[in-house]
Amino acid sequence: MEDFDAVTRAWFLFVLAMDSLCRTIGTSDMYAFVLTRPVIGKMAFIQELVQRERSALPPAPAAG
């Protein structure tokens, strides 16, 4: 999942399902935070930086 939009969509679906399950059994939400657009933008920026740095690294030596 290189595309950060796909990651956030999957995350929101997962959180919705988990929080719905928790509410069904009478417990608190597992993830009680709201990710705002500015926060998602910052996370996407960090993801881009990490991906850029990872692609610049030399390949790891083969094991064994």
Side-chain angles (χ1 to χ4, degrees), residues 3-27:
D3 180 30
F4 194 75
D5 289 336
V7 172
T8 56
R9 281 192 301 273
W11 174 250
F12 286 133
L13 290 174
F14 172 74
V15 168
L16 177 64
M18 293 308 298
D19 285 349
S20 295
L21 177 64
C22 286
R23 291 174 190 163
T24 300
I25 62 173
T27 60

Side-chain angles (χ1 to χ4, degrees), residues 34-43:
V34 175
L35 297 178
T36 62
R37 287 191 187 276
V39 170
I40 292 170
K42 290 175 184 180
M43 291 170 59

Side-chain angles (χ1 to χ4, degrees), residues 39-59:
V39 170
I40 292 170
K42 290 175 184 180
M43 291 170 59
F45 174 72
I46 297 299
Q47 173 73 9
E48 180 183 330
L49 289 177
V50 169
Q51 292 297 330
R52 191 179 315 147
E53 288 299 313
R54 286 183 71 196
S55 66
L57 291 175

